[in-house]
Amino acid sequence: MDVLVLGGAGQVGTELRALAWPAGVSVHAPGRAELDITDARAVAAELAARDYRVVINTAAYTAVDKAEADVVAAWRLNALAPAILAAATAETSIPLVHVSTDYVFAGSKPDGAYAPDDPIDPQSVYGASKAAGELAVRTGNPRHAIVRTAWVVSPHRGNFVKTMLRLSAERDALTVVDDQYGCPTSAADLAAALATIARRLATDADAPTGTFHCVNAGATTWCGFAEAIVAGSARRGGRPVPVNGIPTSAYPTPARRPANSRLSTDSLTAAYGLAPRPWQAALDDILDRLVGPVSEGVSKP
Ligand SMILES: NC(=O)c1ccc[n+]([C@@H]2O[C@H](COP(=O)([O-])OP(=O)(O)OC[C@H]3O[C@@H](n4cnc5c(N)ncnc54)[C@H](OP(=O)(O)O)[C@@H]3O)[C@@H](O)[C@H]2O)c1
């Protein structure tokens, strides 16, 4: 079975390529230089080149703040490209698994996690362009799974874990926003879930379609996440610097971010039997890879 992964050099794409796929599955992950997914002709040619059974799109314009001033580029990749992919996969009767974001929500839900059918209300160019991409997939190919995720981290590329590790080595204290709540998510855990969904869609005409949420279990603030990263690094020999919380108002950014972007994975569990593990366990795996194993004489929490 041939599987086409788009965005294969990104955080999630890298983990999809590294995954132990079952025998008989061939993963093809052309980079941006080989396949520009905003080019409809190139996408059609790629789909014609092999007998693909499913497409997983992880490619996106993910620079949330930069997108505020780079509107056309963000919409080309996050809205136009999904429309091209939805049309091309529908044309060839291939299911499409498309990754989206918690930033489609306003974040004003007073408590609790967002369910997939809660009303969206993006507050940023990135969020709006991703919401448009969702609509394009939903209307363009009925055999789709839109998988919203959040706060994605991994040993690859730039992400919050790597930034906190770098800053904790350079500074005597960190200041991090402590009034935005969300669900840290391992790119590796997300990739494993995407692979399960993709294989089901490729092989089972009755596999559930629609919009799902996939994040690691539990929630925290950026500050709580930073504290866990610094503590985990310290258990592995890193510097145990203090982490001080500040309100969002003290750290202005070009893009508005949701105050609460917790996502409920209940419908993912019901549809696909997937129950992601706690974010702390996923973080430990990433720190093992980035920093090293827990130092001798220091016990895990
Ligand atoms: N990162 C997060 O915290 C987060 C949170 C919520 C949702 N998400 C969603 O999760 C998905 C994966 O995110 P990620 O963190 O893995 O993203 P990422 O690391 O930024 O990777 C994005 C990939 O898209 C590729 N790409 C860019 N333009 C392209 C084009 N025209 N044609 C083909 N490929 C192109 C990039 O190629 P290059 O390698 O050449 O740059 C890169 O490999 C995205 O849908 C994102 O919106 C991410």
Side-chain angles (χ1 to χ4, degrees):
M1 176 167 77
D2 289 304
V3 176
L4 178 60
V5 170
L6 303 167
Q11 290 196 81
V12 180
T14 299
E15 295 293 353
L16 274 166
R17 287 190 289 115
L19 211 62
W21 292 80
V25 176
S26 294
V27 174
H28 305 273
R32 184 210 305 229
E34 298 145 280
L35 177 59
D36 174 357
I37 64 164
T38 65
D39 179 342
R41 274 197 208 159
V43 167
E46 182 63 37
L47 290 182
R50 286 193 178 83
D51 185 20
Y52 286 117
R53 293 305 166 94
V54 62
V55 174
I56 307 175
N57 179 35
T58 72
Y61 189 112
T62 55
V64 175
D65 286 320
K66 203 171 151 218
E68 293 295 307
D70 203 7
V71 179
V72 174
W75 276 73
R76 271 179 69 78
L77 193 50
N78 292 346
L80 173 64
I84 289 170
L85 294 172
T89 51
E91 177 80 22
T92 47
S93 303
I94 305 171
L96 174 62
V97 179
H98 175 72
V99 183
S100 192
T101 174
D102 52 336
Y103 283 19
V104 298
F105 293 114
S108 51
K109 193 167 181 166
D111 46 34
Y114 281 94
D117 56 0
D118 276 335
I120 61 169
D121 184 12
Q123 302 290 304
S124 61
V125 169
Y126 169 73
S129 64
K130 292 291 291 184
E134 289 189 0
L135 186 60
V137 170
R138 218 168 270 132
T139 53
N141 183 347
R143 299 261 306 140
H144 69 262
I146 293 166
V147 182
R148 294 189 190 124
T149 189
W151 297 25
V152 176
V153 290
S154 70
H156 322 293
R157 292 175 76 108
N159 62 65
F160 189 74
V161 172
K162 292 177 81 172
T163 302
M164 291 303 114
L165 290 177
R166 177 173 53 78
L167 293 179
S168 64
E170 292 171 3
R171 297 183 184 176
D172 293 331
L174 306 183
T175 45
V176 184
V177 168
D178 71 352
D179 55 2
Q180 290 171 27
Y181 290 82
C183 306
T185 301
S186 150
D189 290 10
L190 173 62
L194 293 173
T196 298
I197 295 167
R199 283 174 49 224
R200 276 281 302 280
L201 282 168
T203 56
D204 176 1
D206 296 325
T209 55
T211 304
F212 305 96
H213 291 167
C214 183
V215 289
N216 279 118
T220 186
T221 64
W222 289 113
C223 183
F225 193 16
E227 284 169 345
I229 294 163
V230 171
S233 165
R235 287 197 299 279
R236 293 164 173 83
R239 292 176 73 215
V241 298
V243 181
N244 303 313
I246 52 167
T248 300
S249 57
Y251 187 72
T253 54
R256 276 184 72 187
R257 287 165 167 77
N260 168 25
S261 72
R262 281 172 279 190
L263 301 181
S264 166
T265 55
D266 288 352
S267 71
L268 180 76
T269 305
Y272 281 96
L274 294 165
R277 64 183 167 156
W279 64 264
Q280 294 92 337
L283 173 62
D284 265 330
D285 282 355
I286 293 169
L287 292 175
D288 283 349
R289 288 167 72 182
L290 281 174
V291 187
V294 170
S295 305
E296 263 179 48
V298 183
S299 57
K300 285 200 174 192

